[in-house]
Amino acid sequence: MRNTVARDAILEIINTTDVALSQSDVQAKLPEGLCNRVTIYRVLDRLVDEHLAHKITNIDGVIKYANCQSCATNHKHNHVHFNCECCNTVTCIEAVEPSFKLPANYEVNTVNFLVSGICPECKGN
Amino acid sequence: MRNTVARDAILEIINTTDVALSQSDVQAKLPEGLCNRVTIYRVLDRLVDEHLAHKITNIDGVIKYANCQSCATNHKHNHVHFNCECCNTVTCIEAVEPSFKLPANYEVNTVNFLVSGICPECKGN
DNA sequence: AACCCTATCGCAACATTGTTGCAAACATAA
DNA sequence: TTATGTTTGCAACAATGTTGCGATAGGGTT
């Protein structure tokens, strides 16, 4: 995959942010006019294909992207994500991998575990 | 809450369908022109308020509604939901309640556990 | 350095989902 | 039957995400 200005900038943002970001979150962090809205969607999807990011569908239906600490060794991404209803951020809680066991014959491809509530930061304030 | 034609019809649909339904799914099952699109959104939300249904955000961001077998005794709804990528349905798997444990000071309000893959029906065909 | 190939981009247009304000219609209780 | 407040329809809007296509620009090759 090619290194383009947009790709580099977006990857940099994903890698230096500790919460998951939507397309519009990314756009807000990019220099004005660096690239088109559509490009952000496309680059984010490409980063997922390249295993440099993973997708989380937030409780409001908005898709967020985050890099993953353990990506190099494990592409499962079945850890819990937490949506704070107060500061409106989604964070990976990598330490927490829920255990569950489906009935026979279910083939699992993707897992989207999202817990919504109030994060410690917001509770403290 | 009042019993209206729309409410009765939508509740009937939710209660007699064993998969979770989006607004447009419900609309497709309603008699043509029984009520407006907006009314379906509003009725579904009202049913959630009355604890007659619960919400699941699907992996594609679309919000689905389902009645819940154990609603009378337990409003947690933290069971697993399964999205079949083949037949494109979301089903409640009430038997499976994942166990997880967040770090201290996270206040949990809602849980959205979604597993996506291929369901037994589609695998058999 | 010039060239080529093709991945990537920008733009415009579109689709879908979901929300809001307000006036009209309706359910229910008095 | 009337009064009250809930519910509805309509129209308009907002946000997210997708698609097609011509233009642009990586990056390898000569």
Side-chain angles (χ1 to χ4, degrees), chain A residues 33-102:
Chain A
L34 184 137
C35 74
N36 189 269
R37 195 169 67 88
V38 178
T39 300
I40 301 175
Y41 282 110
R42 296 199 266 224
V43 168
L44 288 172
D45 281 339
R46 234 181 308 142
L47 293 180
V48 171
D49 289 343
E50 297 177 42
H51 299 295
L52 294 174
H54 63 287
K55 271 169 110 153
I56 313 108
T57 305
N58 198 0
I59 205 147
D60 61 2
V62 175
I63 295 173
K64 302 237 177 188
Y65 297 80
N67 76 326
C68 188
Q69 255 59 8
S70 54
C71 250
T73 53
N74 173 14
H75 288 301
K76 293 257 177 190
H77 300 299
N78 52 357
H79 52 268
V80 165
H81 294 90
F82 190 87
N83 171 62
C84 178
E85 295 158 7
C86 176
C87 62
N88 201 30
T89 59
V90 171
T91 48
C92 295
I93 307 195
E94 305 233 11
V96 182
E97 267 202 21
S99 67
F100 67 101
K101 197 167 183 330
L102 293 181

Side-chain angles (χ1 to χ4, degrees), chain B residues 76-117:
Chain B
K76 293 257 177 189
H77 301 297
N78 52 357
H79 51 269
V80 165
H81 295 89
F82 190 87
N83 171 63
C84 178
E85 294 158 9
C86 175
C87 62
N88 201 30
T89 59
V90 172
T91 49
C92 296
I93 306 193
E94 305 232 11
V96 183
E97 269 201 20
S99 65
F100 67 100
K101 197 166 183 332
L102 294 181
N105 293 322
Y106 280 92
E107 179 183 325
V108 175
N109 290 338
T110 317
V111 149
N112 198 83
F113 280 165
L114 197 100
V115 178
S116 186

Side-chain angles (χ1 to χ4, degrees), chain A residues 92-114:
Chain A
C92 295
I93 307 195
E94 305 233 11
V96 182
E97 267 202 21
S99 67
F100 67 101
K101 197 167 183 330
L102 293 181
N105 293 322
Y106 280 92
E107 181 182 325
V108 175
N109 290 338
T110 319
V111 149
N112 199 82
F113 280 164
L114 196 101

Side-chain angles (χ1 to χ4, degrees), chain B residues 6-26:
Chain B
R7 196 197 106 112
D8 292 350
I10 294 170
L11 183 54
E12 169 77 11
I13 287 171
I14 291 287
N15 281 336
T16 58
T17 307
D18 61 353
V19 297
L21 302 173
S22 66
Q23 171 272 327
S24 69
D25 294 335
V26 169

